[in-house]
Amino acid sequence: MTSDTRVLVLIGAGSAVFTRGLLADLIGADDLGAWEIRLVDVDAANLDIAADLAERMVTARGAGEKIRVTRSTDRRAVLSGADFIVTCVGVGGRPAWQLDHEIVQRHGIHQPVGDSIMPGGISRLLRTTPVLVEIAQDIAELAPEAFFFNYSNPMTANVQAIHQETGLEVVGLCHGMHHIQRELAQLIDAPFERTSTLYAGINHLTFIYDFRLDGRDAWPLIRERVRRELAEAPDPADIGNIFYEKPTAWHNPFAWELFERYGAFAAAGDRHVVEFFPERFWQGDYYGKKLGIDAFSLPEILEWGEDRYQGMRRQATGEEPLDQSIFDRSGGEQEQLIAIIRSITFDSRAMFSCNVVNRGLVPGLPEWSAVEIPGVATARGIRPIAVPDLGRPLTAILARRLASVDLAVEAALNGDRDLVIEAMIADGAVFDADTAAALTDDLIAAQAQHLPRFS
């Protein structure tokens, strides 16, 4: 390693999926020079799997001269000197996520995801947001000049709370917008590189209100294709399907219903968007299926994630050969991170979707809330772009969804059970205090090991 070696600290590295993709992309990024990747996780066993896999990847590609991997369960020991810090923390992991799903379903609430909003999202917020704030406080003390990116959900709450408590300019990243723009391009059989968008919203509910092909309005092409497909009876396999190669209108019928009403498409598609409108899918009814069960099945996505993790564990321990295909194109969420690092490094000023504190960038939304908008990656960091023309109807929808976030953030940071109940009611999935209280108490009791502030 040389004096020009840069340091990236990845906190929450034990998930392995993000770690593997990050290493694959960095190994292939010859223009970005030498790196020290400091992997951090509180779970030593999971950390070792991720780090062992990373080291095998570096060795397999002969990249030891430019990439060094270290590991630690103590983030404070490795933060000093960091150039980039990335958080992808999931407190409780898949077991806690599964538990949220089972509890809210027992209370008659059907969620296909449960990572951002509704009772499952609030439960995740309670156990994750305080931990992210504690991490951010260490960053503010030990590496305040580092570029700080967060991938942890619930994104909107985490970005808001981190800035509120530390003042750090954290940037939240999610590949949802990028993914949806690619799908829109596919719907009109156009190359992604020739399309462009304008959008604003909050993570997992971001409205693309301008979509262009070669600089010309492409909504007429989209509208014709979507109306034609929705006029035909759907293939039941298209309804609520998480995994598909080529998009059709029936993969996101609700988002297209909103499009007809407001002239904007809601990213990141129905799987996430329906959770922001619980009153429209009472008892989980979704185009003949049930949300979270046979429409966007959460157990299915959890099983998929566990299978991926076990495969990486076997590769890390040498039980299976290293999957060489990851080096061809890792994809995934870390792909945008590498592109941002490249744009910062060379000041090429490329544009990305980012979650940042509003401060007037989207008029009509609270100054302190986190919004998802375009941002330019410069040598001095992300410079978000103001979006003054979203319009009042869509702004009103977003403002309503942000009300429960404020309550839940305060509840999480102060261990206030009564405020959790108010957040549940403001969220809209339950209407009366007794129901909200019973649900709150069940979630807090079940996740008690991850909720020290509520003990």
Side-chain angles (χ1 to χ4, degrees):
M1 297 294 165
T2 69
S3 59
D4 295 329
T5 298
R6 285 181 292 174
V7 174
L8 187 149
V9 179
L10 178 56
I11 302 175
S15 66
V17 176
F18 190 96
T19 304
R20 181 180 71 165
L22 175 67
L23 263 293
D25 285 342
L26 272 180
I27 288 170
D30 293 331
D31 59 324
L32 292 179
W35 289 88
E36 179 184 347
I37 308 299
R38 301 174 181 172
L39 304 180
V40 180
D41 203 285
V42 294
D43 187 316
N46 287 341
L47 174 63
D48 284 342
I49 289 170
D52 288 349
L53 179 60
E55 288 175 349
R56 287 198 70 198
M57 292 171 66
V58 171
T59 300
R61 288 289 160 138
E65 288 296 313
K66 73 167 188 171
I67 296 179
R68 180 173 66 194
V69 177
T70 63
R71 67 189 80 185
S72 176
T73 55
D74 179 7
R75 64 176 179 264
R76 289 184 60 86
V78 299
L79 282 173
S80 294
D83 297 293
F84 296 89
I85 299 171
V86 181
T87 46
C88 52
V89 173
V91 178
R94 282 184 291 276
W97 193 0
Q98 174 73 30
L99 195 54
D100 284 342
H101 174 70
E102 293 170 355
I103 291 170
V104 300
Q105 205 164 87
R106 283 203 299 270
H107 283 263
I109 297 165
H110 292 76
Q111 289 198 247
V113 190
D115 67 355
S116 297
I117 205 158
M118 290 182 68
I122 292 173
S123 182
R124 179 180 289 227
L125 186 160
L126 297 181
R127 62 181 180 269
T128 305
T129 299
V131 172
L132 264 294
V133 168
E134 290 171 1
I135 291 169
Q137 288 167 339
D138 286 345
I139 294 171
E141 176 188 347
L142 299 171
E145 300 303 316
F147 296 107
F148 180 12
F149 299 101
N150 172 64
Y151 279 92
S152 299
N153 286 317
M155 180 69 72
T156 303
N158 289 337
V159 170
Q160 173 180 323
I162 287 169
H163 187 268
Q164 170 186 307
E165 296 300 307
T166 70
L168 288 175
E169 298 294 337
V170 61
V171 175
L173 300 178
C174 173
H175 68 173
M177 261 298 307
H178 186 73
H179 175 72
I180 290 298
Q181 186 177 335
R182 285 191 178 279
E183 287 206 356
L184 292 177
Q186 284 181 283
L187 280 174
I188 57 173
D189 298 316
F192 168 75
E193 295 75 17
R194 288 169 52 193
T195 64
S196 58
T197 54
L198 286 174
Y199 50 88
I202 58 179
N203 187 231
H204 294 153
L205 183 65
T206 295
F207 292 103
I208 303 172
Y209 63 92
D210 188 278
F211 177 61
R212 294 178 183 269
L213 173 63
D214 297 330
R216 300 193 177 197
D217 184 9
W219 282 139
L221 298 174
I222 289 282
R223 190 173 280 108
E224 190 276 330
R225 166 78 178 264
V226 168
R227 285 176 176 171
R228 184 176 73 250
E229 290 190 357
L230 293 180
E232 300 174 357
D235 179 346
D238 284 343
I239 303 295
N241 185 3
I242 300 172
F243 303 104
Y244 54 85
E245 292 184 7
K246 190 170 177 60
T248 74
W250 278 109
H251 285 134
N252 296 294
F254 179 61
W256 289 117
E257 178 187 326
L258 294 177
F259 175 77
E260 285 291 334
R261 187 169 298 129
Y262 300 111
F265 186 81
D270 276 15
R271 177 171 170 257
H272 284 288
V273 170
V274 294
E275 294 194 328
F276 292 84
F277 299 86
E279 70 282 355
R280 304 196 192 190
F281 300 96
W282 204 238
Q283 297 183 321
D285 294 327
Y286 173 82
Y287 302 93
K289 294 188 177 183
K290 284 283 187 183
L291 290 169
I293 300 177
D294 56 352
F296 310 115
S297 166
L298 184 59
E300 180 183 355
I301 200 74
L302 290 173
E303 182 180 357
W304 174 79
E306 182 64 20
D307 287 346
R308 286 182 77 195
Y309 178 78
Q310 291 302 328
M312 285 182 281
R313 181 193 61 77
R314 290 189 294 271
Q315 292 175 48
T317 59
E319 296 172 51
E320 290 183 2
L322 199 62
D323 179 6
Q324 298 292 328
S325 68
I326 188 67
F327 296 109
D328 298 328
R329 180 170 181 79
S330 64
E333 304 209 62
Q334 75 291 329
E335 183 181 28
Q336 184 174 357
L337 174 64
I338 297 298
I340 289 173
I341 290 174
R342 182 174 285 113
S343 186
I344 289 173
T345 300
F346 302 110
D347 200 30
S348 48
R349 309 199 175 194
M351 191 176 296
F352 305 90
S353 61
C354 58
N355 291 264
V356 295
V357 176
N358 186 25
R359 289 182 287 205
L361 295 165
V362 182
L365 297 182
E367 296 283 305
W368 59 85
S369 294
V371 293
E372 189 166 75
I373 53 177
V376 178
T378 77
R380 299 187 65 150
I382 296 287
R383 291 293 184 263
I385 294 175
V387 185
D389 53 348
L390 181 63
R392 288 187 177 181
L394 296 179
T395 302
I397 290 172
L398 295 168
R400 180 172 69 94
R401 298 314 310 167
L402 285 168
S404 64
V405 175
D406 288 347
L407 290 165
V409 165
E410 291 304 307
L413 296 181
N414 295 296
D416 191 327
R417 174 249 188 196
D418 291 337
L419 265 187
V420 178
I421 295 170
E422 292 303 316
M424 292 283 183
I425 295 170
D427 171 84
V430 295
F431 293 106
D432 67 277
D434 289 341
T435 302
L439 177 56
T440 295
D441 289 341
D442 281 356
L443 286 167
I444 289 176
Q447 305 284 10
Q449 63 177 313
H450 307 302
L451 300 173
R453 300 185 188 208
F454 287 86
S455 59

